[in-house]
Amino acid sequence: MAGIKESFSGISDSGSRISISNKKKKIFLFLIASFLLVASVIGIVAGVASRKNSSKIPSSAHAILKSSCSSTLYPDLCYSAIATVPGAADNLSTQKDVIEISLNITTTAVEHNYFTIKKLLAHEKLTEREKTALHDCLEMVDETLDELHETAEDLKQYPNKKSLDEHAEDLKILLSAAMTNQDTCIDGFSHEQADKEVRNALLKGQEHVYHMCSNALAMIKNMTDTDMAEEKLKMGRKLGESTGEIDGFPGWLSAGDRRLLQASTVTPDVTVASDGSGNYKTVSEAVAAAPINSNKRYIIRIKAGVYKENVDVSKKKKNIMFVGDGRKNTIITGSRNVVDGSTTFHSATVGQ
Ligand SMILES: *[C@@H]1O[C@H](CO)[C@@H](O)[C@H](O)[C@H]1NC(C)=O
Ligand SMILES: *[C@@H]1O[C@H](CO)[C@@H](O)[C@H](O)[C@H]1NC(C)=O
Ligand SMILES: *[C@@H]1O[C@H](CO)[C@@H](O)[C@H](O)[C@H]1NC(C)=O
Protein backbone atom coordinates (compact mmCIF):
# COMPACT_ATOMS: atom_id res chain seq x y z
CA MET A 1 0.00 0.00 0.00
CA ALA A 2 2.65 2.41 1.09
CA GLY A 3 4.67 1.48 -1.94
CA ILE A 4 1.88 2.29 -4.27
CA LYS A 5 1.34 5.61 -2.56
CA GLU A 6 5.01 6.40 -2.77
CA SER A 7 5.19 5.43 -6.38
CA PHE A 8 2.22 7.62 -7.12
CA SER A 9 3.70 10.56 -5.37
CA GLY A 10 6.99 9.78 -7.00
CA ILE A 11 5.40 9.99 -10.40
CA SER A 12 3.68 13.18 -9.71
CA ASP A 13 6.71 14.71 -8.14
CA SER A 14 9.26 13.75 -10.70
CA GLY A 15 7.39 13.12 -13.88
CA SER A 16 5.08 16.08 -14.15
CA ARG A 17 6.22 19.25 -12.58
CA ILE A 18 4.58 21.26 -15.23
CA SER A 19 1.31 19.54 -14.70
CA ILE A 20 1.54 20.20 -11.00
CA SER A 21 2.22 23.84 -11.55
CA ASN A 22 -0.69 23.84 -13.93
CA LYS A 23 -2.81 22.23 -11.28
CA LYS A 24 -1.69 24.88 -8.80
CA LYS A 25 -2.61 27.57 -11.27
CA LYS A 26 -5.98 25.97 -11.75
CA ILE A 27 -6.49 25.77 -8.03
CA PHE A 28 -5.40 29.35 -7.69
CA LEU A 29 -7.76 30.41 -10.44
CA PHE A 30 -10.48 28.34 -8.85
CA LEU A 31 -9.83 30.08 -5.59
CA ILE A 32 -10.00 33.46 -7.23
CA ALA A 33 -13.20 32.45 -8.95
CA SER A 34 -14.64 31.20 -5.68
CA PHE A 35 -13.61 34.37 -3.96
CA LEU A 36 -15.30 36.43 -6.65
CA LEU A 37 -18.34 34.22 -6.43
CA VAL A 38 -18.44 34.51 -2.66
CA ALA A 39 -17.85 38.23 -2.95
CA SER A 40 -20.70 38.61 -5.37
CA VAL A 41 -22.95 36.45 -3.21
CA ILE A 42 -22.01 38.59 -0.23
CA GLY A 43 -22.70 41.62 -2.37
CA ILE A 44 -26.12 40.34 -3.34
CA VAL A 45 -26.97 39.46 0.24
CA ALA A 46 -25.72 42.85 1.40
CA GLY A 47 -27.73 44.54 -1.33
CA VAL A 48 -30.87 42.68 -0.31
CA ALA A 49 -30.25 43.43 3.34
CA SER A 50 -29.75 47.12 2.73
CA ARG A 51 -32.78 47.30 0.51
CA LYS A 52 -34.84 45.56 3.17
CA ASN A 53 -34.40 48.65 5.30
CA SER A 54 -35.03 51.30 2.70
CA SER A 55 -37.08 50.30 -0.30
CA LYS A 56 -38.18 46.69 -0.12
CA ILE A 57 -41.61 48.23 -0.28
CA PRO A 58 -44.09 47.60 -3.08
CA SER A 59 -43.80 50.47 -5.54
CA SER A 60 -47.45 51.44 -5.17
CA ALA A 61 -47.02 51.62 -1.39
CA HIS A 62 -43.81 53.60 -1.86
CA ALA A 63 -45.68 56.18 -3.95
CA ILE A 64 -48.49 56.56 -1.43
CA LEU A 65 -46.09 56.72 1.47
CA LYS A 66 -43.96 59.31 -0.30
CA SER A 67 -46.85 61.56 -1.26
CA SER A 68 -48.57 61.25 2.13
CA CYS A 69 -45.37 62.10 3.97
CA SER A 70 -44.71 65.07 1.72
CA SER A 71 -47.41 67.05 3.52
CA THR A 72 -45.66 66.64 6.89
CA LEU A 73 -43.04 68.73 8.68
CA TYR A 74 -40.73 65.73 9.11
CA PRO A 75 -41.13 63.76 5.89
CA ASP A 76 -37.98 61.65 6.34
CA LEU A 77 -39.06 60.51 9.78
CA CYS A 78 -42.58 59.91 8.45
CA TYR A 79 -41.23 57.68 5.68
CA SER A 80 -38.52 55.81 7.58
CA ALA A 81 -40.70 55.14 10.62
CA ILE A 82 -42.93 52.98 8.43
CA ALA A 83 -40.31 51.72 5.98
CA THR A 84 -38.14 50.25 8.72
CA VAL A 85 -40.93 48.21 10.33
CA PRO A 86 -40.97 44.89 8.43
CA GLY A 87 -44.25 44.34 6.64
CA ALA A 88 -45.75 47.65 7.78
CA ALA A 89 -45.86 49.03 4.24
CA ASP A 90 -47.05 45.78 2.63
CA ASN A 91 -50.72 46.68 2.45
CA LEU A 92 -50.61 50.44 2.07
CA SER A 93 -53.10 51.66 -0.47
CA THR A 94 -54.46 54.97 0.82
CA GLN A 95 -53.32 58.02 2.74
CA LYS A 96 -55.60 56.84 5.54
CA ASP A 97 -53.60 53.58 5.74
CA VAL A 98 -50.42 55.61 6.14
CA ILE A 99 -51.96 57.61 8.99
CA GLU A 100 -53.25 54.48 10.73
CA ILE A 101 -49.89 52.76 10.62
CA SER A 102 -48.14 55.95 11.74
CA LEU A 103 -50.45 56.11 14.75
CA ASN A 104 -49.67 52.49 15.53
CA ILE A 105 -45.95 53.11 15.40
CA THR A 106 -46.39 56.24 17.51
CA THR A 107 -48.26 54.21 20.12
CA THR A 108 -45.33 51.80 20.28
CA ALA A 109 -42.96 54.74 20.75
CA VAL A 110 -45.08 56.11 23.62
CA GLU A 111 -45.00 52.70 25.27
CA HIS A 112 -41.22 52.76 24.91
CA ASN A 113 -41.15 56.12 26.65
CA TYR A 114 -43.21 54.63 29.44
CA PHE A 115 -40.47 52.10 30.16
CA THR A 116 -37.81 54.79 29.98
CA ILE A 117 -39.64 56.79 32.64
CA LYS A 118 -40.17 53.70 34.79
CA LYS A 119 -36.44 52.95 34.62
CA LEU A 120 -35.55 56.50 35.60
CA LEU A 121 -37.93 56.31 38.54
CA ALA A 122 -36.08 53.22 39.77
CA HIS A 123 -32.99 55.35 40.29
CA GLU A 124 -32.40 56.19 43.91
CA LYS A 125 -30.71 59.53 43.51
CA LEU A 126 -33.74 61.52 42.45
CA THR A 127 -34.86 64.77 43.99
CA GLU A 128 -38.47 65.03 45.11
CA ARG A 129 -39.10 67.44 42.29
CA GLU A 130 -37.72 64.99 39.77
CA LYS A 131 -39.83 62.19 41.17
CA THR A 132 -42.94 64.34 40.95
CA ALA A 133 -42.07 65.41 37.43
CA LEU A 134 -41.50 61.83 36.34
CA HIS A 135 -44.84 60.80 37.77
CA ASP A 136 -46.39 63.68 35.84
CA CYS A 137 -44.73 62.25 32.73
CA LEU A 138 -46.29 58.87 33.40
CA GLU A 139 -49.65 60.56 33.54
CA MET A 140 -48.89 62.32 30.26
CA VAL A 141 -47.99 58.96 28.73
CA ASP A 142 -51.31 57.59 29.91
CA GLU A 143 -53.22 60.49 28.42
CA THR A 144 -51.27 60.28 25.18
CA LEU A 145 -52.07 56.59 24.82
CA ASP A 146 -55.75 57.36 25.34
CA GLU A 147 -55.64 60.14 22.78
CA LEU A 148 -53.86 58.02 20.20
CA HIS A 149 -56.36 55.24 20.79
CA GLU A 150 -59.27 57.64 20.35
CA THR A 151 -57.67 59.09 17.23
CA ALA A 152 -57.31 55.60 15.74
CA GLU A 153 -60.92 54.74 16.59
CA ASP A 154 -62.23 57.96 15.09
CA LEU A 155 -60.12 57.42 12.01
CA LYS A 156 -61.37 53.85 11.64
CA GLN A 157 -64.89 55.20 11.22
CA TYR A 158 -63.83 58.12 9.04
CA PRO A 159 -65.64 59.53 7.15
CA ASN A 160 -68.89 57.82 8.19
CA LYS A 161 -69.31 58.48 11.90
CA LYS A 162 -70.08 62.19 11.66
CA SER A 163 -69.65 65.14 9.35
CA LEU A 164 -66.25 65.68 7.76
CA ASP A 165 -65.90 68.93 9.73
CA GLU A 166 -66.50 67.17 13.03
CA HIS A 167 -64.12 64.35 12.16
CA ALA A 168 -61.44 66.85 11.15
CA GLU A 169 -61.95 68.94 14.27
CA ASP A 170 -61.89 66.01 16.70
CA LEU A 171 -58.89 64.32 15.11
CA LYS A 172 -56.88 67.53 15.14
CA ILE A 173 -57.76 68.31 18.76
CA LEU A 174 -56.76 64.81 19.90
CA LEU A 175 -53.37 64.92 18.20
CA SER A 176 -52.65 68.48 19.30
CA ALA A 177 -53.31 67.39 22.88
CA ALA A 178 -50.97 64.42 22.44
CA MET A 179 -48.25 66.79 21.21
CA THR A 180 -48.76 69.14 24.14
CA ASN A 181 -48.34 66.22 26.55
CA GLN A 182 -44.80 65.60 25.32
CA ASP A 183 -43.93 69.24 25.97
CA THR A 184 -45.55 69.20 29.38
CA CYS A 185 -43.48 66.19 30.41
CA ILE A 186 -40.19 67.79 29.38
CA ASP A 187 -41.16 71.14 30.91
CA GLY A 188 -41.15 69.44 34.31
CA PHE A 189 -37.35 69.29 34.20
CA SER A 190 -36.43 72.86 33.43
CA HIS A 191 -35.92 74.17 36.93
CA GLU A 192 -32.48 73.20 38.09
CA GLN A 193 -29.16 72.24 36.69
CA ALA A 194 -29.56 68.83 38.32
CA ASP A 195 -32.78 68.23 36.35
CA LYS A 196 -30.83 68.28 33.14
CA GLU A 197 -29.70 64.70 33.39
CA VAL A 198 -33.20 63.33 33.65
CA ARG A 199 -34.35 65.76 31.02
CA ASN A 200 -31.68 64.59 28.61
CA ALA A 201 -32.57 60.97 29.24
CA LEU A 202 -36.17 61.72 28.27
CA LEU A 203 -35.80 64.31 25.55
CA LYS A 204 -35.12 62.11 22.54
CA GLY A 205 -38.09 59.82 23.12
CA GLN A 206 -40.47 62.66 23.88
CA GLU A 207 -39.38 64.62 20.83
CA HIS A 208 -39.74 61.55 18.66
CA VAL A 209 -43.36 61.12 19.74
CA TYR A 210 -43.96 64.85 19.31
CA HIS A 211 -42.69 64.72 15.72
CA MET A 212 -44.65 61.57 14.93
CA CYS A 213 -47.86 63.18 16.25
CA SER A 214 -47.10 66.32 14.28
CA ASN A 215 -46.76 64.23 11.13
CA ALA A 216 -50.01 62.39 11.76
CA LEU A 217 -51.72 65.72 12.39
CA ALA A 218 -50.40 67.15 9.10
CA MET A 219 -51.54 64.11 7.15
CA ILE A 220 -54.95 64.20 8.79
CA LYS A 221 -55.26 67.88 7.96
CA ASN A 222 -54.31 67.18 4.36
CA MET A 223 -56.76 64.29 4.07
CA THR A 224 -59.72 66.07 5.69
CA ASP A 225 -59.05 69.32 3.80
CA THR A 226 -58.96 67.39 0.53
CA ASP A 227 -62.16 65.49 1.34
CA MET A 228 -63.99 68.60 2.51
CA ALA A 229 -63.04 70.49 -0.64
CA GLU A 230 -64.32 67.60 -2.73
CA GLU A 231 -67.54 67.42 -0.76
CA LYS A 232 -68.08 71.14 -1.19
CA LEU A 233 -67.59 70.78 -4.91
CA LYS A 234 -70.09 67.92 -5.07
CA MET A 235 -72.64 69.78 -2.95
CA GLY A 236 -72.18 72.81 -5.15
CA ARG A 237 -72.83 70.72 -8.21
CA LYS A 238 -75.88 69.13 -6.60
CA LEU A 239 -77.13 72.52 -5.50
CA GLY A 240 -76.60 73.76 -9.03
CA GLU A 241 -78.67 70.88 -10.32
CA SER A 242 -81.52 71.25 -7.87
CA THR A 243 -81.97 74.99 -8.20
CA GLY A 244 -80.85 74.82 -11.78
CA GLU A 245 -78.66 77.84 -11.40
CA ILE A 246 -75.05 78.71 -12.03
CA ASP A 247 -74.06 82.31 -11.47
CA GLY A 248 -77.74 83.12 -11.30
CA PHE A 249 -78.40 81.55 -14.69
CA PRO A 250 -80.15 78.26 -15.34
CA GLY A 251 -77.73 75.35 -15.10
CA TRP A 252 -78.68 73.99 -18.50
CA LEU A 253 -77.36 77.13 -20.16
CA SER A 254 -74.05 76.55 -21.89
CA ALA A 255 -71.03 78.50 -20.73
CA GLY A 256 -70.99 80.38 -24.01
CA ASP A 257 -74.60 81.42 -23.64
CA ARG A 258 -74.01 82.41 -20.03
CA ARG A 259 -71.23 84.70 -21.19
CA LEU A 260 -73.50 86.03 -23.89
CA LEU A 261 -76.14 86.85 -21.31
CA GLN A 262 -73.62 88.25 -18.85
CA ALA A 263 -72.40 90.68 -21.46
CA SER A 264 -74.14 93.94 -20.75
CA THR A 265 -75.26 94.37 -24.31
CA VAL A 266 -76.96 91.43 -25.92
CA THR A 267 -78.09 92.45 -29.34
CA PRO A 268 -81.31 90.64 -30.09
CA ASP A 269 -82.26 89.71 -33.62
CA VAL A 270 -85.86 90.58 -32.90
CA THR A 271 -87.84 91.93 -30.01
CA VAL A 272 -91.21 90.80 -28.80
CA ALA A 273 -93.33 93.29 -26.92
CA SER A 274 -96.93 92.81 -25.96
CA ASP A 275 -97.45 96.56 -26.19
CA GLY A 276 -96.50 96.57 -29.86
CA SER A 277 -93.20 98.42 -29.42
CA GLY A 278 -91.17 95.47 -30.77
CA ASN A 279 -91.00 93.45 -33.97
CA TYR A 280 -93.69 91.05 -32.80
CA LYS A 281 -96.50 91.08 -30.30
CA THR A 282 -96.31 87.40 -29.41
CA VAL A 283 -93.46 84.99 -28.83
CA SER A 284 -95.03 82.48 -31.20
CA GLU A 285 -94.93 84.97 -34.05
CA ALA A 286 -91.27 85.64 -33.41
CA VAL A 287 -90.48 81.94 -33.31
CA ALA A 288 -92.43 81.34 -36.50
CA ALA A 289 -90.37 84.04 -38.19
CA ALA A 290 -87.04 82.65 -36.94
CA PRO A 291 -84.76 80.99 -39.49
CA ILE A 292 -84.85 77.22 -39.90
CA ASN A 293 -81.80 75.14 -39.06
CA SER A 294 -79.74 78.16 -38.23
CA ASN A 295 -76.11 77.69 -37.31
CA LYS A 296 -76.08 81.00 -35.55
CA ARG A 297 -77.78 81.94 -32.31
CA TYR A 298 -81.05 83.73 -33.07
CA ILE A 299 -81.82 85.93 -30.13
CA ILE A 300 -85.38 86.85 -29.39
CA ARG A 301 -85.76 89.48 -26.76
CA ILE A 302 -89.01 89.35 -24.91
CA LYS A 303 -89.84 92.61 -23.22
CA ALA A 304 -91.45 92.73 -19.82
CA GLY A 305 -95.03 91.58 -19.84
CA VAL A 306 -97.25 88.57 -19.51
CA TYR A 307 -97.61 86.44 -22.60
CA LYS A 308 -100.56 84.06 -22.51
CA GLU A 309 -99.49 81.60 -25.11
CA ASN A 310 -98.14 78.15 -25.72
CA VAL A 311 -94.84 78.53 -27.41
CA ASP A 312 -93.95 75.72 -29.73
CA VAL A 313 -90.44 75.63 -31.01
CA SER A 314 -90.06 72.89 -33.56
CA LYS A 315 -86.89 70.87 -33.94
CA LYS A 316 -86.07 72.76 -37.09
CA LYS A 317 -85.91 76.03 -35.25
CA LYS A 318 -82.45 75.45 -33.90
CA ASN A 319 -80.34 77.91 -32.00
CA ILE A 320 -83.06 80.14 -30.71
CA MET A 321 -82.37 81.95 -27.51
CA PHE A 322 -84.94 83.83 -25.54
CA VAL A 323 -83.85 86.74 -23.45
CA GLY A 324 -86.37 88.21 -21.07
CA ASP A 325 -86.41 91.27 -18.87
CA GLY A 326 -86.00 89.21 -15.75
CA ARG A 327 -87.94 86.25 -14.51
CA LYS A 328 -90.37 88.40 -12.58
CA ASN A 329 -90.99 90.72 -15.49
CA THR A 330 -91.19 88.48 -18.50
CA ILE A 331 -93.63 85.69 -17.88
CA ILE A 332 -95.00 83.31 -20.41
CA THR A 333 -98.01 81.40 -19.22
CA GLY A 334 -99.43 78.56 -21.16
CA SER A 335 -100.88 75.14 -20.67
CA ARG A 336 -97.86 73.64 -22.30
CA ASN A 337 -94.50 74.93 -21.37
CA VAL A 338 -92.34 72.21 -22.70
CA VAL A 339 -90.83 73.41 -25.85
CA ASP A 340 -89.69 70.74 -28.16
CA GLY A 341 -86.43 71.05 -29.97
CA SER A 342 -84.99 73.92 -28.04
CA THR A 343 -82.13 73.67 -25.64
CA THR A 344 -82.66 77.09 -24.27
CA PHE A 345 -86.27 77.12 -23.32
CA HIS A 346 -86.82 75.11 -20.19
CA SER A 347 -89.79 76.65 -18.53
CA ALA A 348 -92.35 79.31 -18.99
CA THR A 349 -90.37 81.89 -17.13
CA VAL A 350 -87.64 83.59 -18.98
CA GLY A 351 -84.60 84.55 -17.03
CA GLN A 352 -82.14 87.19 -17.89
C1 LIG B 1 -52.15 67.35 0.28
O1 LIG B 1 -50.83 66.93 0.06
C2 LIG B 1 -50.46 66.87 -1.30
C3 LIG B 1 -49.07 66.28 -1.37
O2 LIG B 1 -48.18 66.98 -0.56
C4 LIG B 1 -50.56 68.25 -1.92
O3 LIG B 1 -50.23 68.19 -3.29
C5 LIG B 1 -51.97 68.76 -1.75
O4 LIG B 1 -52.05 70.06 -2.24
C6 LIG B 1 -52.38 68.72 -0.29
N1 LIG B 1 -53.79 69.08 -0.20
C7 LIG B 1 -54.27 69.94 0.69
C8 LIG B 1 -55.72 70.21 0.63
O5 LIG B 1 -53.55 70.47 1.53
C1 LIG C 1 -51.64 42.26 4.07
O1 LIG C 1 -52.74 41.67 3.41
C2 LIG C 1 -52.65 40.29 3.31
C3 LIG C 1 -53.82 39.80 2.46
O2 LIG C 1 -54.95 40.63 2.60
C4 LIG C 1 -52.67 39.68 4.71
O3 LIG C 1 -52.59 38.28 4.65
C5 LIG C 1 -51.49 40.22 5.50
O4 LIG C 1 -51.54 39.76 6.83
C6 LIG C 1 -51.51 41.73 5.50
N1 LIG C 1 -50.28 42.23 6.11
C7 LIG C 1 -50.25 43.15 7.07
C8 LIG C 1 -48.93 43.55 7.57
O5 LIG C 1 -51.28 43.68 7.50
C1 LIG D 1 -52.05 48.41 14.96
O1 LIG D 1 -51.69 47.62 16.05
C2 LIG D 1 -52.69 46.75 16.50
C3 LIG D 1 -52.19 46.03 17.72
O2 LIG D 1 -51.00 46.49 18.16
C4 LIG D 1 -53.07 45.78 15.40
O3 LIG D 1 -54.09 44.93 15.81
C5 LIG D 1 -53.50 46.56 14.20
O4 LIG D 1 -53.78 45.71 13.12
C6 LIG D 1 -52.46 47.56 13.79
N1 LIG D 1 -52.97 48.37 12.72
C7 LIG D 1 -52.28 48.64 11.62
C8 LIG D 1 -52.96 49.51 10.63
O5 LIG D 1 -51.18 48.19 11.42
Side-chain angles (χ1 to χ4, degrees):
M1 272 295 264
I4 293 171
K5 230 185 189 172
E6 266 171 33
S7 69
F8 257 106
S9 61
I11 290 165
S12 54
D13 258 301
S14 61
S16 52
R17 236 171 228 285
I18 298 164
S19 95
I20 283 173
S21 80
N22 264 350
K23 223 186 243 169
K24 268 188 186 160
K25 227 184 229 166
K26 267 183 198 159
I27 286 169
F28 183 62
L29 284 175
F30 174 70
L31 281 177
I32 288 184
S34 323
F35 175 75
L36 286 177
L37 188 69
V38 168
S40 66
V41 167
I42 287 172
I44 289 165
V45 170
V48 167
S50 75
R51 240 171 290 144
K52 214 173 223 169
N53 274 345
S54 56
S55 62
K56 203 197 158 222
I57 291 174
S59 63
S60 60
H62 169 80
I64 283 157
L65 192 50
K66 198 89 186 163
S67 88
S68 300
C69 286
S70 72
S71 61
T72 67
L73 279 180
Y74 314 98
D76 291 344
L77 170 68
C78 170
Y79 188 95
S80 67
I82 291 175
T84 50
V85 175
D90 284 359
N91 293 347
L92 284 181
S93 60
T94 63
Q95 186 181 30
K96 191 178 154 185
D97 294 342
V98 176
I99 300 168
E100 278 179 347
I101 290 173
S102 284
L103 287 172
N104 237 13
I105 292 169
T106 310
T107 300
T108 308
V110 175
E111 285 163 358
H112 184 266
N113 286 350
Y114 171 85
F115 290 112
T116 305
I117 298 165
K118 275 286 195 189
K119 250 191 229 161
L120 286 169
L121 269 172
H123 270 275
E124 283 159 17
K125 285 192 266 171
L126 288 172
T127 64
E128 277 311 304
R129 195 209 296 282
E130 281 169 340
K131 271 187 207 158
T132 309
L134 280 172
H135 278 291
D136 285 349
C137 279
L138 281 182
E139 209 168 291
M140 292 298 130
V141 162
D142 226 33
E143 274 186 27
T144 306
L145 286 174
D146 281 348
E147 282 149 4
L148 288 176
H149 179 72
E150 260 189 78
T151 307
E153 286 300 307
D154 197 88
L155 198 63
K156 209 182 272 176
Q157 302 186 60
Y158 179 87
N160 303 316
K161 192 181 168 191
K162 45 202 169 186
S163 76
L164 286 181
D165 288 288
E166 286 171 302
H167 267 298
E169 180 94 354
D170 291 351
L171 287 166
K172 282 188 264 186
I173 287 173
L174 284 166
L175 283 174
S176 302
M179 285 168 76
T180 307
N181 289 343
Q182 314 314 304
D183 273 347
T184 306
C185 165
I186 289 297
D187 282 349
F189 304 94
S190 313
H191 303 283
E192 296 164 11
Q193 194 65 22
D195 289 346
K196 277 209 171 137
E197 237 172 273
V198 184
R199 180 189 159 91
N200 286 341
L202 286 172
L203 194 58
K204 212 173 149 205
Q206 297 291 315
E207 272 184 350
H208 178 66
V209 169
Y210 184 93
H211 292 162
M212 288 295 290
C213 289
S214 157
N215 282 349
L217 179 58
M219 287 190 280
I220 280 171
K221 180 168 162 38
N222 182 284
M223 179 181 74
T224 53
D225 280 356
T226 304
D227 290 349
M228 284 192 288
E230 205 170 289
E231 186 185 63
K232 212 170 168 184
L233 212 67
K234 259 190 222 152
M235 296 258 272
R237 231 179 279 135
K238 238 184 240 163
L239 223 62
E241 277 163 21
S242 59
T243 67
E245 285 195 6
I246 299 169
D247 290 347
F249 290 104
W252 41 264
L253 216 52
S254 75
D257 284 340
R258 226 174 298 138
R259 269 198 300 279
L260 198 62
L261 290 171
Q262 272 166 328
S264 52
T265 52
V266 176
T267 315
D269 294 284
V270 291
T271 302
V272 178
S274 53
D275 62 8
S277 64
N279 306 83
Y280 302 100
K281 274 191 162 178
T282 67
V283 180
S284 297
E285 283 178 286
V287 169
I292 287 170
N293 289 334
S294 170
N295 289 321
K296 197 177 144 280
R297 272 274 184 245
Y298 189 76
I299 300 170
I300 299 174
R301 177 172 173 222
I302 308 165
K303 281 193 163 180
V306 177
Y307 300 84
K308 289 185 185 165
E309 52 178 305
N310 287 317
V311 180
D312 276 329
V313 181
S314 81
K315 282 199 171 80
K316 283 181 183 166
K317 303 275 180 176
K318 284 182 190 163
N319 265 330
I320 291 178
M321 175 182 265
F322 298 95
V323 179
D325 281 346
R327 66 172 65 215
K328 290 211 183 76
N329 300 323
T330 299
I331 298 163
I332 301 173
T333 63
S335 53
R336 267 184 308 122
N337 296 325
V338 179
V339 183
D340 196 16
S342 168
T343 55
T344 60
F345 205 26
H346 234 53
S347 75
T349 50
V350 178
Q352 176 183 277

mmCIF file with all atom_site columns, all heavy atoms in Angstrom, residues 6 84 98 178 189 217 283:
data_model
loop_
_atom_site.group_PDB
_atom_site.id
_atom_site.type_symbol
_atom_site.label_atom_id
_atom_site.label_alt_id
_atom_site.label_comp_id
_atom_site.label_asym_id
_atom_site.label_entity_id
_atom_site.label_seq_id
_atom_site.pdbx_PDB_ins_code
_atom_site.Cartn_x
_atom_site.Cartn_y
_atom_site.Cartn_z
_atom_site.occupancy
_atom_site.B_iso_or_equiv
_atom_site.pdbx_formal_charge
_atom_site.auth_seq_id
_atom_site.auth_comp_id
_atom_site.auth_asym_id
_atom_site.auth_atom_id
_atom_site.pdbx_PDB_model_num
ATOM 1  N N   . GLU A 1 6   ? 3.737   5.743  -2.483  1.00 0.00 ? 6   GLU A N   1
ATOM 2  C CA  . GLU A 1 6   ? 5.011   6.395  -2.774  1.00 0.00 ? 6   GLU A CA  1
ATOM 3  C C   . GLU A 1 6   ? 5.245   6.517  -4.273  1.00 0.00 ? 6   GLU A C   1
ATOM 4  O O   . GLU A 1 6   ? 5.635   7.557  -4.769  1.00 0.00 ? 6   GLU A O   1
ATOM 5  C CB  . GLU A 1 6   ? 6.161   5.606  -2.152  1.00 0.00 ? 6   GLU A CB  1
ATOM 6  C CG  . GLU A 1 6   ? 6.544   6.116  -0.774  1.00 0.00 ? 6   GLU A CG  1
ATOM 7  C CD  . GLU A 1 6   ? 7.533   5.177  -0.098  1.00 0.00 ? 6   GLU A CD  1
ATOM 8  O OE1 . GLU A 1 6   ? 8.333   4.579  -0.839  1.00 0.00 ? 6   GLU A OE1 1
ATOM 9  O OE2 . GLU A 1 6   ? 7.480   5.046  1.123   1.00 0.00 ? 6   GLU A OE2 1
ATOM 10 N N   . THR A 1 84  ? -39.067 51.117 7.971   1.00 0.00 ? 84  THR A N   1
ATOM 11 C CA  . THR A 1 84  ? -38.143 50.253 8.723   1.00 0.00 ? 84  THR A CA  1
ATOM 12 C C   . THR A 1 84  ? -38.865 49.190 9.559   1.00 0.00 ? 84  THR A C   1
ATOM 13 O O   . THR A 1 84  ? -38.220 48.333 10.141  1.00 0.00 ? 84  THR A O   1
ATOM 14 C CB  . THR A 1 84  ? -37.244 51.089 9.661   1.00 0.00 ? 84  THR A CB  1
ATOM 15 O OG1 . THR A 1 84  ? -38.064 51.966 10.411  1.00 0.00 ? 84  THR A OG1 1
ATOM 16 C CG2 . THR A 1 84  ? -36.222 51.888 8.868   1.00 0.00 ? 84  THR A CG2 1
ATOM 17 N N   . VAL A 1 98  ? -51.692 55.058 5.669   1.00 0.00 ? 98  VAL A N   1
ATOM 18 C CA  . VAL A 1 98  ? -50.415 55.606 6.142   1.00 0.00 ? 98  VAL A CA  1
ATOM 19 C C   . VAL A 1 98  ? -50.609 56.232 7.523   1.00 0.00 ? 98  VAL A C   1
ATOM 20 O O   . VAL A 1 98  ? -49.796 56.021 8.433   1.00 0.00 ? 98  VAL A O   1
ATOM 21 C CB  . VAL A 1 98  ? -49.868 56.656 5.144   1.00 0.00 ? 98  VAL A CB  1
ATOM 22 C CG1 . VAL A 1 98  ? -48.597 57.300 5.696   1.00 0.00 ? 98  VAL A CG1 1
ATOM 23 C CG2 . VAL A 1 98  ? -49.585 56.015 3.794   1.00 0.00 ? 98  VAL A CG2 1
ATOM 24 N N   . ALA A 1 178 ? -52.053 65.408 22.284  1.00 0.00 ? 178 ALA A N   1
ATOM 25 C CA  . ALA A 1 178 ? -50.974 64.417 22.435  1.00 0.00 ? 178 ALA A CA  1
ATOM 26 C C   . ALA A 1 178 ? -49.610 65.095 22.313  1.00 0.00 ? 178 ALA A C   1
ATOM 27 O O   . ALA A 1 178 ? -48.671 64.783 23.044  1.00 0.00 ? 178 ALA A O   1
ATOM 28 C CB  . ALA A 1 178 ? -51.129 63.314 21.411  1.00 0.00 ? 178 ALA A CB  1
ATOM 29 N N   . PHE A 1 189 ? -38.772 69.422 33.830  1.00 0.00 ? 189 PHE A N   1
ATOM 30 C CA  . PHE A 1 189 ? -37.355 69.293 34.195  1.00 0.00 ? 189 PHE A CA  1
ATOM 31 C C   . PHE A 1 189 ? -36.532 70.510 33.797  1.00 0.00 ? 189 PHE A C   1
ATOM 32 O O   . PHE A 1 189 ? -35.401 70.405 33.396  1.00 0.00 ? 189 PHE A O   1
ATOM 33 C CB  . PHE A 1 189 ? -36.756 68.039 33.538  1.00 0.00 ? 189 PHE A CB  1
ATOM 34 C CG  . PHE A 1 189 ? -37.518 66.801 33.881  1.00 0.00 ? 189 PHE A CG  1
ATOM 35 C CD1 . PHE A 1 189 ? -38.525 66.342 33.052  1.00 0.00 ? 189 PHE A CD1 1
ATOM 36 C CD2 . PHE A 1 189 ? -37.253 66.121 35.053  1.00 0.00 ? 189 PHE A CD2 1
ATOM 37 C CE1 . PHE A 1 189 ? -39.234 65.211 33.375  1.00 0.00 ? 189 PHE A CE1 1
ATOM 38 C CE2 . PHE A 1 189 ? -37.965 64.979 35.392  1.00 0.00 ? 189 PHE A CE2 1
ATOM 39 C CZ  . PHE A 1 189 ? -38.961 64.528 34.543  1.00 0.00 ? 189 PHE A CZ  1
ATOM 40 N N   . LEU A 1 217 ? -50.821 64.563 12.429  1.00 0.00 ? 217 LEU A N   1
ATOM 41 C CA  . LEU A 1 217 ? -51.720 65.721 12.387  1.00 0.00 ? 217 LEU A CA  1
ATOM 42 C C   . LEU A 1 217 ? -51.705 66.367 10.995  1.00 0.00 ? 217 LEU A C   1
ATOM 43 O O   . LEU A 1 217 ? -52.750 66.682 10.431  1.00 0.00 ? 217 LEU A O   1
ATOM 44 C CB  . LEU A 1 217 ? -51.301 66.732 13.457  1.00 0.00 ? 217 LEU A CB  1
ATOM 45 C CG  . LEU A 1 217 ? -52.089 68.027 13.568  1.00 0.00 ? 217 LEU A CG  1
ATOM 46 C CD1 . LEU A 1 217 ? -53.558 67.748 13.837  1.00 0.00 ? 217 LEU A CD1 1
ATOM 47 C CD2 . LEU A 1 217 ? -51.535 68.899 14.687  1.00 0.00 ? 217 LEU A CD2 1
ATOM 48 N N   . VAL A 1 283 ? -94.675 85.795 -28.728 1.00 0.00 ? 283 VAL A N   1
ATOM 49 C CA  . VAL A 1 283 ? -93.460 84.989 -28.832 1.00 0.00 ? 283 VAL A CA  1
ATOM 50 C C   . VAL A 1 283 ? -93.602 84.006 -29.995 1.00 0.00 ? 283 VAL A C   1
ATOM 51 O O   . VAL A 1 283 ? -92.662 83.771 -30.758 1.00 0.00 ? 283 VAL A O   1
ATOM 52 C CB  . VAL A 1 283 ? -93.188 84.237 -27.504 1.00 0.00 ? 283 VAL A CB  1
ATOM 53 C CG1 . VAL A 1 283 ? -91.918 83.395 -27.583 1.00 0.00 ? 283 VAL A CG1 1
ATOM 54 C CG2 . VAL A 1 283 ? -93.083 85.230 -26.349 1.00 0.00 ? 283 VAL A CG2 1
#
